[in-house]
Amino acid sequence: NCWLSVSLWCLVGGLNGRFVTRNSRPNIVLLMADGLGVGDLCCYGKDAAPSPDGGGPALPPTSLLLQAEQPRSQVASPPEQQRWPQGSTPNIDHLASEGVRLTQHLAAASVCTLSRAAFLTGRYPIRSGMASSFNPNRALVWLGGSGGLPTNETTFAKLLQHRGYRTGLIGMARGTLNVNTLMFMLRGYQVIFLPGKWHQGLSCASRNDHCFHPLNHGFDYFYGLPFGLFSDCQPSKTPELHRWLRIKLWISTAVLGLVPVLLLIPKCARWFSVPWKVILVFALLALFFVSWYSSYGFTRHWNCILMRNHEIVQQPMRGERVASLMLKEVLAFIDRYKREPFLLFVSFLHVHTPLITKKKFIGHSKYGLYGDNVEEMDWMVGKILEALDRELLANRTLVYFTSDHGGCLEAQDGGAQLGGWNGIYKGGRGMGGWEGGIRVLGIFRWPTVLEAGKVIDEPTSLMDIYPTLSYVGGGILPQDRVIDSRNLMPLLEGKVSHSDHEFLFHYCGVYLHAARWHQKDCATVWKVHYVTPKFSPEGAGACYGSGICSCTGDVTYHDPPLLFDISRDPSESQPLNPDNEALFGSVVQKIEAAIKDHRRTLTPVPEQLSVFNTIWKPWLQPCCETFPFCGCDKEDDILSTA
């Protein structure tokens, strides 16, 4: 019997790479998309599809609904040519079928910098100062700014580095300290971050101090974009950064430039006297506006750069090479460290504009460039999973797939939709507390530990990855600060049936727009909105006029607040009131009491996204040559094809 047991153990170990127990430390692979809509994947089609009675928001003309799980006769679906085929995302769908799928997975903010800061630290971004009170500065917009994730914040990388882990981050970053910094090396683990967004700041006082750099947040190695991806990174694309501000700057520059000229006419003609000081003041103002406006012309060279540790290796970065480089680095890493535990964080540039896509995928989808970009990302996910299978690592690897926030509805080029679709959920990226901007994908796979095909409809947060990975990797959570996240493993393993989150708060910058109460005694989820953005044009479902919705100013304040029963009305289409909901008063009172308790835990911190911290500063601008003549390409071994 003993010999038989040993033989069976060896057989199982040989077939699966290693015998796995819950107490063994797994490899960890984190996959994060950039702005992927919850309605863009087949595996979420049923949850994101309109109800049989046609409830939920109307489908946009270029909607990308993937309804593989729900019979066509049961849903109000768009025409056939507007639907995804079932095989558009086969690799991510397969991942979901083999793991646990979270259907009420929520980002801490509906924009990237804030969401990723929370993901990295397990805390609401307002606690670290990574939230703004100024509408145009909702995220970091210049590498030459002085804001970023404070070094006193404990990231996952730093947390587990203190446990003897070696840490590395390879990838594209967007801004300063990004969610991607979550990479860590679990005690003897190799940790890598692959191309994606950092977006959490770079320098504080001088060009090369790199105080917010990943290497100062617990990483031993970094390769990628310290900022991220904008349409400005592609010369042929419509500028994205501060598009409307640029127009205003151009008008102001033209007006101020004319004033000194007009004042010189009467002075030279001796019609009346104009003091030279007045002319000089207007001339200096015009010069200031010209300098400010012209700085946007250098966005590609100043923001779109590729770094290895502290060295700039490509300025501007060559976008067409990113996907090939990313996949090459991922596969090489898995091959190199397949015999020891590792953490691999892959932060995709997909599916953020300008939707940089390899030629082999252009025209591959029936749904334009956005569809091509989604399918390329799915192909890359497949290659990563295939490598895990090939090296017999799948059974001892925890894989997590998500997005930093919902799809961007305003991203359009003529009649083509360049952003994701959020299914039945109202709103999208940058829209405060509306569900479409914060409800994201959440897929966990860990064979032999997590049940395949399980679906959990409990409120969970992107922040929860912080204590979850700490628990899995044997880390110790900081005791000197408030941690807003919860360990998901008991819920994922089925040891508990309810999420530990009773209340979740939904901010837009520093402003609390909405809050959610998970009433555990009856599993009802209530949600209140105190502030909602005004869509433009009137009657639209997004802020097409401005490109992104405001957190303050152009908003609607609700007193009493809007109340929804998310468990029955996830599309937030049927607001409740005292006439149709007997519990209206008590529910609102309960949530308001929770908000007061939450606010008592907040402490004043420097605002990292203030106007001063986010404006461009020449002395902080990274440059691989002599500023302002910045340009180099030291990366001559990038794979040309993958």
Side-chain angles (χ1 to χ4, degrees), residues 213-530:
H213 192 280
L215 269 60
N216 286 331
H217 277 289
F219 291 99
D220 298 319
Y221 182 73
F222 170 69
Y223 185 96
L225 295 176
F227 188 69
L229 191 63
F230 278 110
S231 293
D232 305 70
C233 294
Q234 292 289 96
S236 60
K237 301 297 182 179
T238 302
E240 178 181 354
L241 181 62
H242 291 167
R243 186 184 309 170
W244 295 104
L245 178 59
R246 293 191 203 193
I247 296 174
K248 294 177 181 178
L249 283 174
W250 169 244
I251 295 174
S252 301
T253 300
V255 171
L256 288 171
L258 283 173
V259 170
V261 176
L262 294 175
L263 291 176
L264 281 172
I265 295 175
K267 186 174 184 67
C268 294
R270 297 184 179 180
W271 294 342
F272 55 86
S273 177
V274 179
W276 282 108
K277 289 183 178 180
V278 174
I279 297 175
L280 182 61
V281 167
F282 278 101
L284 290 174
L285 283 174
L287 181 62
F288 170 76
F289 275 88
V290 166
S291 302
W292 192 3
Y293 174 76
S294 63
S295 67
Y296 285 100
F298 295 90
T299 300
R300 179 168 173 259
H301 283 79
W302 291 347
N303 275 351
C304 309
I305 68 175
L306 184 65
M307 296 184 73
R308 174 180 286 108
N309 291 329
H310 291 291
E311 180 187 14
I312 299 173
V313 296
Q314 211 173 72
Q315 187 174 14
M317 68 97 178
R318 298 177 60 178
E320 69 278 4
R321 290 176 159 183
V322 171
S324 297
L325 171 63
M326 178 176 182
L327 189 58
K328 173 191 172 185
E329 294 287 346
V330 172
L331 300 182
F333 174 80
I334 293 174
D335 180 68
R336 185 180 308 120
Y337 298 112
K338 59 189 176 185
R339 293 181 177 84
E340 52 187 301
F342 62 80
L343 169 66
L344 174 65
F345 196 158
V346 184
S347 181
F348 295 100
L349 293 180
H350 307 67
V351 287
H352 196 284
T353 51
L355 301 175
I356 297 174
T357 309
K358 288 169 64 70
K359 288 183 179 179
K360 64 187 274 187
F361 285 97
I362 298 295
H364 194 267
S365 162
K366 296 180 181 179
Y367 306 98
L369 185 58
Y370 183 83
D372 297 340
N373 203 242
V374 170
E375 293 194 7
E376 181 186 41
M377 178 183 64
D378 180 77
W379 170 77
M380 295 174 71
V381 170
K383 289 295 183 182
I384 296 169
L385 299 179
E386 183 181 293
L388 295 175
D389 291 336
R390 182 173 59 251
E391 303 298 343
L392 305 178
L393 299 175
N395 277 3
R396 54 188 177 100
T397 301
L398 172 62
V399 179
Y400 173 61
F401 182 87
T402 190
S403 177
D404 56 354
H405 52 71
C408 179
L409 303 183
E410 293 92 352
Q412 295 181 333
D413 184 10
Q417 181 72 24
L418 300 182
W421 188 60
N422 303 311
I424 63 171
Y425 306 112
K426 187 171 185 177
R429 186 204 69 166
M431 299 187 194
W434 286 123
E435 205 76 357
I438 57 176
R439 191 177 290 225
V440 296
L441 314 150
I443 300 171
F444 285 86
R445 188 191 76 172
W446 188 356
T448 73
V449 175
L450 302 181
E451 179 185 348
K454 185 175 183 178
V455 178
I456 297 176
D457 190 30
E458 291 284 304
T460 58
S461 172
L462 276 183
M463 295 186 292
D464 295 338
I465 200 68
Y466 186 86
T468 302
L469 295 190
S470 176
Y471 172 77
V472 169
I476 300 175
L477 294 176
Q479 301 298 310
D480 61 346
R481 64 200 64 192
V482 176
I483 302 296
D484 299 299
S485 46
R486 303 290 183 267
N487 176 19
L488 289 177
M489 284 308 296
L491 184 65
L492 296 173
E493 292 182 281
K495 294 180 179 179
V496 299
S497 57
H498 294 293
S499 166
D500 279 346
H501 287 289
E502 183 176 9
F503 297 96
L504 284 167
F505 307 100
H506 307 304
Y507 282 88
C508 187
V510 299
Y511 306 101
L512 183 69
H513 275 204
R516 168 183 326 243
W517 174 31
H518 181 209
Q519 190 175 351
K520 296 184 179 180
D521 56 352
C522 64
T524 299
V525 179
W526 304 96
K527 184 178 177 185
V528 298
H529 287 266
Y530 296 97

